[in-house]
Amino acid sequence: MKIKVAEATNDQLDRLVARCEGWTNKRCGATCNCLQHIAPNGRASTLPKYTTDWNQGGPIIDRENLELIYYGTEGYQGPWESQKGCDTHYIDQSPGDAMAGPTALVAAMRAHVKHKLGDEVEVPEELEWLRGDDEPTRIKRAKEVKK
């Protein structure tokens, strides 16, 4: 299954950013079908909320030189747009490179994922149940996959 970065939900986007940041997943064990999120340091941990927590997403914006611009109600894709910064142009000079979002963090994390992984990202079949942004939907799909 492919996910379009421009349409990724916050939950999906957090997982895609985690992949860009070196996180991986592994099965808990033979008797359990759950997944563990493995941080770059090799320890199992809860995934950061890059799309809603400035302490998690903010450093990525700085490190990756992500430009942000606020269009308010004038934005055709969303009130915020972001793209990987460079010395030759700005967002308004190269709008095809920009990613939009309802918040600055969402727009910036979409730009980060697009720059690292492309416009569409392949999601492994065993993670397909992660579709959907709400917990009940994910739980229901996880149970369907186990059958």
Side-chain angles (χ1 to χ4, degrees), residues 8 21 32 35-36 40-41 43 52-53 76-77 106 115 137:
E21 295 297 297
C32 178
L35 287 176
Q36 286 183 322
N41 65 9
R43 294 185 178 176
T52 56
D53 184 350
Y76 69 96
Q77 293 181 355
V106 169
H115 177 74
T137 301

Side-chain angles (χ1 to χ4, degrees), residues 6 31 38 40 55 71 80 124:
T31 59
I38 308 299
N55 291 320
Y71 286 109
W80 287 94

Side-chain angles (χ1 to χ4, degrees), residues 4 7 11 18-19 24 32 35 46-47 57 63 67 72 77 80 83 98 115 120 130 136:
K4 291 183 180 182
E7 298 172 2
D11 192 46
R19 184 187 298 179
T24 58
C32 178
L35 287 176
T46 304
L47 280 180
R63 185 189 72 227
E67 298 174 346
Q77 293 181 355
W80 287 94
Q83 72 179 27
H115 177 74
E120 291 186 342
L130 294 174

Side-chain angles (χ1 to χ4, degrees), residues 3-107:
I3 293 177
K4 291 183 180 182
V5 175
E7 298 172 2
T9 64
N10 285 6
D11 192 46
Q12 292 167 334
L13 196 53
D14 286 334
R15 285 173 166 75
L16 294 175
V17 172
R19 184 187 298 179
C20 293
E21 295 297 297
W23 287 70
T24 58
N25 297 304
K26 75 172 189 175
R27 294 270 174 221
C28 295
T31 59
C32 178
N33 197 31
C34 63
L35 287 176
Q36 286 183 322
H37 304 293
I38 308 299
N41 65 9
R43 294 185 178 176
S45 184
T46 304
L47 280 180
K49 297 292 187 183
Y50 299 104
T51 57
T52 56
D53 184 350
W54 278 95
N55 291 320
Q56 303 296 328
I60 295 172
I61 294 170
D62 287 342
R63 185 189 72 227
E64 297 296 325
N65 189 28
L66 298 172
E67 298 174 346
L68 283 161
I69 190 167
Y70 180 69
Y71 286 109
T73 58
E74 301 299 317
Y76 69 96
Q77 293 181 355
W80 287 94
E81 289 189 12
S82 179
Q83 72 179 27
K84 176 80 172 163
C86 73
D87 295 333
T88 59
H89 63 271
Y90 297 98
I91 290 175
D92 57 350
Q93 295 172 327
S94 184
D97 292 338
M99 296 299 285
T103 68
L105 276 175
V106 169

